[in-house]
Amino acid sequence: MNPLAVSVLPPEATQLALGYPSLFLLVMIGALVPVVPTGALVSSAAVVAFHSSAPLALLLVFVVAALAAFLGDVALYWLGSRGTRSRNGSRWLESIRSHAPEDRLAQAQDKLQRHGVTVLVLSRLVPAGRVPVMLACLMADWPLRRFARGDIPACLAWAVTYQLIGILGGSLFTEPWEGVATAVGLTLFLSVVPAMWRRVRRPSTSG
């Protein structure tokens, strides 16, 4: 046996040893601190998995991303609920409020009252839609268990959506880096368009 082949870690083993744990940590951190573009991370990982020879690579990306998103959401909701019960609030609750403008919070509260868990599921598919709905759930005094039940299909749908974007990017190009660039660009574009649309509509609706 070639000793050099033994000493060099294969790319597939490197992906298993570093890629999936990194994806898990980054997605979970992104759920706790809503500034990390977690959708782009999942799409990029899906591109790499698409070009991988490992048979379960795409399934692992899906499971890791969905689990990390769910645990991050539940942790943030738990921290926010502690803030609603304390006299002076908490920095986590204030952080959630800072990412939920009053107009969007009012819309989320109205939709949550009318449609319930369905709004929670859809909120993860809408860029910047997760935090206002989460805050609306906190203000409606949803228990953690009820929020967690609704968040499971939300995280599964989110992971599938961004993984499909990555698979699309990976299928268009033979080189993984080209697919990653395409997937990241597409996810960032999808995250910017709703905010630009709201800014365009705001003057007309206020007048």
Side-chain angles (χ1 to χ4, degrees):
M1 181 180 296
N2 188 350
L4 183 60
V6 176
S7 61
V8 176
L9 192 66
E12 299 296 339
T14 303
Q15 184 180 11
L16 285 171
L18 300 176
Y20 298 119
S22 299
L23 177 64
F24 180 88
L25 288 175
L26 289 173
V27 170
M28 189 170 179
I29 292 172
L32 286 167
V33 185
V35 293
V36 179
T38 52
L41 293 173
V42 176
S43 297
S44 300
V47 172
V48 176
F50 179 82
H51 288 281
S52 172
S53 60
L56 299 178
L58 285 171
L59 178 61
L60 283 173
V61 169
F62 169 74
V63 171
V64 168
L67 180 61
F70 173 74
L71 293 178
D73 283 357
V74 169
L76 183 60
Y77 191 83
W78 177 76
L79 291 168
S81 64
R82 290 186 62 190
T84 60
R85 292 192 299 266
S86 64
R87 177 175 301 178
N88 298 321
S90 71
R91 64 187 183 92
W92 289 103
L93 181 60
E94 291 302 319
S95 175
I96 297 174
R97 287 184 180 275
S98 67
H99 290 86
E102 291 298 327
D103 56 337
R104 301 200 63 193
L105 175 59
Q107 293 176 5
Q109 288 177 300
D110 179 62
K111 292 178 180 178
L112 187 67
Q113 186 176 8
R114 288 188 287 124
H115 302 290
V117 174
T118 305
V119 178
L120 179 59
V121 175
L122 295 177
S123 68
R124 256 205 167 271
L125 302 179
V126 178
R130 176 178 68 102
V131 174
V133 172
M134 181 182 291
L135 183 56
C137 293
L138 285 169
M139 298 181 69
D141 292 326
W142 277 28
L144 179 61
R145 182 176 299 179
R146 183 182 182 186
F147 174 82
R149 284 200 303 264
D151 198 52
I152 290 174
C155 292
L156 293 176
W158 171 82
V160 166
T161 299
Y162 282 98
Q163 187 168 18
L164 288 176
I165 293 175
I167 293 173
L168 175 62
S171 63
L172 293 176
F173 302 97
T174 56
E175 293 295 331
W177 70 267
E178 295 175 323
V180 169
T182 301
V184 170
L186 182 57
T187 53
L188 293 179
F189 173 77
L190 292 176
S191 66
V192 169
V193 166
M196 295 179 61
W197 177 249
R198 287 193 297 270
R199 288 184 180 181
V200 169
R201 291 186 58 189
R202 190 171 300 166
S204 61
T205 55
S206 61

